[in-house]
Amino acid sequence: MRGIVKAGKRLMASLLVAAMAAGLSLSAYALTTKEKLDQAQREQEQTKGQLSQTQDDISGLKSELDTLQGKLDHLNDQLSDVSDRLAELEQQISDKEQEILETQEALEEARADADNQYAAMKSRIQYMYERNDYALLEGMLGADTISDMLNYYDYVDAISDYDQQKLEDFRHIRDEIDLREQQLQKEQEELADYKVQVEAEQSKVSGYISSTSGDIAQNAGQLSNAQAEAEAYEAKIKQQDADIAALKKKLAEEIAMSKLASQSAKRDISSVSFAEGDRYLLANLIYCEAGGEPYAGQLAVGAVVINRLLSSVYPDTITGVIYQRSQFSPVGSGRLAIALAEDRATPACYQAADEAMAGVSNVGDCVYFRTPIEGLTGISIGGHIFY
C-alpha cells in the first residue's frame, strides 16, 4: 500500500507539471455543464426569493411612508393652528398691555384731578371761613333785602355742595379706574398663562414634527435602498436567464456530442495501452464521482471514461480524458487532487476501474453522466443519468 501511495503522489506531481506545460491550471477547470446549470437555477430561485422579499419590503415601506406623510401633514396643520393662536394671543397681550397703560395714565389723571379739587375746596373753605369772615358778614349785612341775604348764603352753600359732589365724583372715577386696572391685570395674567400653555403645545407639536420628519427621512432612505436592491435583483435574474439559456444550449450540445461519439469510429479495448498510474487515477476519479453510489454506478463512471478514450472525438489517454477542460467537476474543485494525494479510492473503486479498463460497460457507449434533469433521458443508475 505504501508503494501505491508513493506512486500516486509521483503521478500527481507529473500531472501538475504536464498541466502547467500545457498552459493549464487546476483552477481553470470548472463544474460540468449540468452542475453549472443546476447551480445557476438554484441561484436564480434564491435571487427570485430575495427579489420577492425585497418587493414585499418596498410595499411595506411605501405604506409606512404614506402613513408617516399623512401624520406629518396633520402635524403641520396642527402646528399652523397653534402658531396662529399664539400670534393672536401675543397681539391680545400687546393690546392688553396698552390698555393697562392707558388705564394707569387715566387713573393718575383722575387722582391728580381729585387731589387738585380737594386742595381747591380746602382753599375756598379756608378763605371763606378763616380769612374772609368780615367780608362774609359785610356781605350779609349789606344786603338790601332778606332775600338777598339768603341768596348769598345759598351761593356759599352751593359752592360747598359743588366741591363735595365734585370730590365724590372723582372718588368714584378713581375707584372705577382702580377696579378696571385690577381686572386688566388679571386678564393679562390669564393671557400670559394661556400663552405659556400654547407655547408648550407648540414645542410639543414641533417635537413631533421633527421626530416624524426623521422617521420619514429614514423610511425614504430604506425605501431607496430597497428599490436599488430590487433593481439589482432584477438585473441579476435577467443575467441568470441568459446564463441558464447558455447552459441549456451547452447541455444540448453535449447530448449531440454524445450522439456523435456513438456514431464515430471506436478503437477496440485490446488496442489500448494503459500508462503507469492510469488505474490509480481512474479509481480515484470513480471515488470522487460515485464513491457513495452502488457498485453498478461506480462501474458506469469508469465505463464513461473508457468510452471516451475509445472514441475518436475525445483524447486517447485516460489522463487526457479526465483532465480535458470542464469535463469532470472533481478536477476543477480540487477534490481529485486531494483523493490522489491520499489514495482515497476504495477496493470497489479499484475493482470498477479494473473492469472498465478490461472493456466491461454497463452503460453501453454513453460518454456523459450527471444528476437527473427534466427532459434528459438515458440509463439511470443510482443518482446519475448516463447518456
Side-chain angles (χ1 to χ4, degrees):
M1 177 62 69
R2 184 177 298 175
I4 294 175
V5 173
K6 289 182 179 180
K9 291 181 178 179
R10 288 195 299 271
L11 174 61
M12 187 62 198
S14 63
L15 290 173
L16 289 172
V17 172
M20 292 175 65
L24 303 175
S25 66
L26 290 179
S27 61
Y29 293 104
L31 299 175
T32 64
T33 303
K34 170 58 174 61
E35 289 169 329
K36 286 181 179 179
L37 180 59
D38 290 344
Q39 180 177 339
Q41 290 173 328
R42 287 193 302 269
E43 289 176 353
Q44 187 181 58
E45 287 302 314
Q46 182 180 4
T47 305
K48 288 180 178 179
Q50 291 170 331
L51 175 60
S52 177
Q53 180 61 51
T54 302
Q55 289 172 335
D56 289 342
D57 292 342
I58 290 173
S59 178
L61 287 169
K62 285 183 176 179
S63 177
E64 184 178 354
L65 188 60
D66 290 341
T67 301
L68 287 171
Q69 189 61 54
K71 179 180 178 182
L72 181 61
D73 293 341
H74 174 71
L75 286 171
N76 281 325
D77 291 341
Q78 192 174 352
L79 181 62
S80 178
D81 178 65
V82 172
S83 298
D84 290 343
R85 280 190 287 143
L86 187 59
E88 182 179 352
L89 275 173
E90 289 174 345
Q91 184 60 48
Q92 290 177 357
I93 291 173
S94 177
D95 293 344
K96 194 68 65 176
E97 289 173 348
Q98 181 63 32
E99 189 175 353
I100 290 173
L101 180 61
E102 293 173 354
T103 301
Q104 289 173 339
E105 292 175 352
L107 181 60
E108 290 300 322
E109 292 177 0
R111 286 171 179 166
D113 288 344
D115 291 342
N116 292 335
Q117 182 66 23
Y118 181 67
M121 182 187 70
K122 287 197 301 179
S123 296
R124 283 192 294 272
I125 292 173
Q126 185 177 7
Y127 174 77
M128 287 186 297
Y129 292 101
E130 292 181 1
R131 298 183 181 181
N132 294 320
D133 289 346
Y134 294 108
L136 175 61
L137 182 59
E138 289 177 356
M140 292 174 61
L141 293 177
D144 294 333
T145 64
I146 293 175
S147 177
D148 290 338
M149 183 179 65
L150 291 176
N151 286 338
Y152 186 80
Y153 272 108
D154 289 340
Y155 170 72
V156 173
D157 288 340
I159 292 175
S160 177
D161 290 342
Y162 170 79
D163 287 334
Q164 291 178 4
Q165 184 60 48
K166 196 66 175 176
L167 182 61
E168 189 66 25
D169 290 343
F170 281 123
R171 285 174 180 171
H172 284 306
I173 292 173
R174 185 180 62 187
D175 291 342
E176 289 176 359
I177 293 175
D178 282 337
L179 183 61
R180 179 57 179 164
E181 182 183 27
Q182 293 174 7
Q183 182 181 357
L184 289 173
Q185 289 176 342
K186 182 179 179 181
E187 291 175 356
Q188 185 185 37
E189 291 173 356
E190 290 175 350
L191 287 173
D193 291 340
Y194 187 45
K195 179 183 178 183
V196 171
Q197 296 176 9
V198 174
E199 286 176 340
E201 183 179 357
Q202 183 186 45
S203 177
K204 185 178 180 180
V205 174
S206 296
Y208 286 150
I209 288 176
S210 178
S211 176
T212 303
S213 297
D215 292 341
I216 288 176
Q218 181 179 2
N219 186 280
Q222 292 174 345
L223 178 61
S224 178
N225 292 337
Q227 289 172 332
E229 287 182 6
E231 291 176 359
Y233 287 138
E234 289 171 352
K236 186 175 181 180
I237 289 173
K238 184 177 181 180
Q239 181 59 49
Q240 287 171 334
D241 285 336
D243 293 341
I244 289 172
L247 289 170
K248 286 182 177 180
K249 180 180 178 182
K250 185 176 181 183
L251 181 60
E253 292 173 351
E254 289 181 354
I255 294 174
M257 186 71 171
S258 176
K259 292 180 179 179
L260 176 62
S262 65
Q263 299 169 359
S264 300
K266 291 179 59 178
R267 292 187 294 167
D268 187 85
I269 190 67
S270 61
S271 64
V272 178
S273 297
F274 293 103
E276 181 182 357
D278 282 353
R279 178 176 180 268
Y280 182 80
L281 177 60
L282 181 58
N284 277 277
L285 177 68
I286 292 171
Y287 168 78
C288 291
E289 292 282 14
E293 296 288 322
Y295 179 75
Q298 295 175 0
L299 175 59
V301 170
V304 165
V305 175
I306 297 303
N307 285 341
R308 291 192 181 191
L309 172 68
L310 298 177
S311 173
S312 60
V313 297
Y314 290 98
D316 57 2
T317 65
I318 285 184
T319 298
V321 169
I322 291 177
Y323 285 98
Q324 188 177 10
R325 183 183 296 274
S326 303
Q327 297 301 308
F328 296 96
S329 62
V331 175
S333 67
R335 289 191 298 121
L336 179 58
I338 294 173
L340 288 170
E342 300 177 359
D343 189 17
R344 293 188 176 183
T346 64
C349 292
Y350 275 105
Q351 181 182 348
D354 290 337
E355 285 201 69
M357 293 171 69
V360 177
S361 173
N362 57 348
V363 290
D365 294 329
C366 292
V367 291
Y368 286 99
F369 66 90
R370 62 189 70 255
T371 52
I373 181 175
E374 184 178 355
L376 179 63
T377 59
I379 301 172
S380 178
I381 301 178
H384 291 117
I385 297 290
F386 293 82
Y387 58 98

